[in-house]
Amino acid sequence: MADNDLVHNRSPLAAGVVEQVSPLLRRLVAPNPSPFTFTGTCSYIVGQGRVAIVDPGPESEEQLAALLKAVEGEIVSHIVVTHTHRDHSPGARALRAATGAPIFGCARHVPIKDDASGRLDASHDLDHMPDQEMRDGDVLHGDGFTLQAVHTPGHASNHLCFGLAQENALLSGDHVMAWSTSIVAPPDGVMSDYMASLEKLRGRDDRIYWPGHGGPVMEPQRYLRALLHHRRQREISILNRLSEGESDIGPLVEKIYEGLDPRLKPAAALSMLAHMEDLTARGLVVADGPATLNARYRKV
């Protein structure tokens, strides 16, 4: 296997089962499987006795009950959220009401209201409001553990990963996952930010990533190189297709994402748009107007 080969781990995880995945981490998968969430959102319980819960997941009475049962006899001192997509943050409010623990982590989502294309990002939890917003480098001190925020915009503008120093591990949210590449969906998702955030993680020495969906990333540095290579190859594929003549995004998705699950084609189109926005900003591609899903593009 070449160092730049992108190989996913799609081993399924069972929802509703508490697993001790490391000395300081327990994982509980929410019952929200889908083509976008794999087998469900991974909630993590950090520590023992006085614990933090990272990404309580969607608004789900079943997941809330499972989390409360998992920490029965313990104190939840912190609720931590990586980003405000609806499969990660809504459960934080119900968990705060049940435990009294404050919500830490990502900032609230600020919609882009002046987007000329009229696109809206409906995937965000607009009701999320942390009790304490964390910024890049901020450290949350728990009982026997620390979580350091690492701002990684791209998948979402407010996305944070969290370094668990005691285990040289990273809770990577949806920025880096072993089961799939992350969707980068404009207007909130920005390809140049995503690529820069991948490069930022290359400057760290985490030995393992615990993502928001699916199992762990076991060789983070090799995987990061493969993700970067994958996106650069996608750029080359787009430019090669555009060199044959101008096109809109629909036909490009059909040609470049051959064999894709039809349910994922709208997401692929959004990721393609993110690439087009980036290529346009870099002067490699021009559009017949604003960079939108319906614009026509040509290579410069």
Side-chain angles (χ1 to χ4, degrees):
M1 181 176 64
D3 197 46
N4 285 333
D5 287 347
L6 184 59
V7 178
H8 295 306
N9 174 10
R10 294 194 171 98
S11 299
L13 304 178
V17 178
V18 181
E19 294 184 81
Q20 187 83 43
V21 295
S22 77
L24 284 175
L25 289 178
R26 286 168 277 172
R27 180 180 61 206
L28 176 65
V29 179
N32 62 330
S34 78
F36 301 98
T37 60
F38 193 40
T39 53
T41 302
C42 296
S43 299
Y44 293 96
I45 302 166
V46 188
Q48 301 284 343
R50 292 180 61 87
V51 304
I53 295 180
V54 179
D55 282 352
E59 188 174 2
S60 165
E61 292 184 6
E62 185 177 348
Q63 178 70 352
L64 175 63
L67 284 169
L68 292 175
K69 182 178 180 181
V71 298
E72 194 171 5
E74 299 178 288
I75 295 172
V76 179
S77 59
H78 306 84
I79 300 165
V80 184
V81 177
T82 60
H83 65 296
T84 51
H85 283 162
R86 293 180 183 274
D87 55 326
H88 287 261
S89 62
R93 292 186 291 281
L95 187 61
R96 176 175 58 187
T99 65
I103 298 173
F104 290 75
C106 70
R108 68 185 182 91
H109 173 62
V110 179
I112 299 175
K113 297 183 183 297
D114 59 349
D115 177 35
S117 70
R119 287 175 282 120
L120 296 175
D121 190 342
S123 61
H124 278 279
D125 170 17
L126 300 182
D127 294 325
H128 178 78
M129 185 68 70
D131 296 293
Q132 184 170 326
E133 178 184 333
M134 296 180 71
R135 300 181 184 274
D136 189 55
D138 287 350
V139 178
L140 182 156
H141 295 277
D143 190 356
F145 64 87
T146 56
L147 293 172
Q148 183 174 39
V150 184
H151 186 214
T152 47
H155 173 71
S157 60
N158 61 3
H159 193 286
L160 297 176
C161 297
F162 291 95
L164 179 60
Q166 290 75 15
E167 295 189 352
N168 196 24
L170 187 77
L171 296 166
S172 59
D174 281 5
H175 180 55
V176 179
M177 301 178 288
W179 82 279
S180 176
T181 55
S182 299
I183 182 174
V184 181
D188 190 60
V190 177
M191 188 60 67
S192 58
D193 289 347
Y194 171 77
M195 297 291 279
S197 293
L198 291 178
E199 291 285 4
K200 181 177 184 175
L201 293 189
R202 290 191 67 190
R204 296 176 56 87
D205 65 350
D206 308 289
R207 67 172 183 83
I208 190 170
Y209 291 175
W210 297 102
H213 305 277
V217 177
M218 302 300 295
E219 298 180 76
Q221 288 300 321
R222 189 203 66 79
Y223 196 70
L224 288 171
R225 288 191 295 272
L227 284 174
L228 286 161
H229 178 72
H230 169 76
R231 291 294 184 175
R232 290 171 184 142
Q233 289 299 115
R234 180 61 45 76
E235 285 186 3
I236 291 171
S237 295
I238 292 169
L239 293 171
N240 286 342
R241 291 290 182 180
L242 289 178
S243 68
E244 301 170 3
E246 69 174 5
S247 178
D248 57 27
I249 284 176
L252 287 171
V253 168
E254 293 294 332
K255 292 176 181 177
I256 293 175
Y257 291 86
E258 284 189 81
L260 183 69
D261 184 334
R263 295 173 297 177
L264 296 178
K265 286 185 178 180
L270 288 170
S271 277
M272 181 77 70
L273 175 58
H275 276 293
M276 290 301 193
E277 289 183 337
D278 183 42
L279 291 168
T280 301
R282 289 156 56 194
L284 299 174
V285 167
V286 293
D288 61 0
T292 67
L293 286 170
N294 299 318
R296 291 188 67 81
Y297 298 89
R298 64 178 175 84
K299 184 179 177 182
V300 173

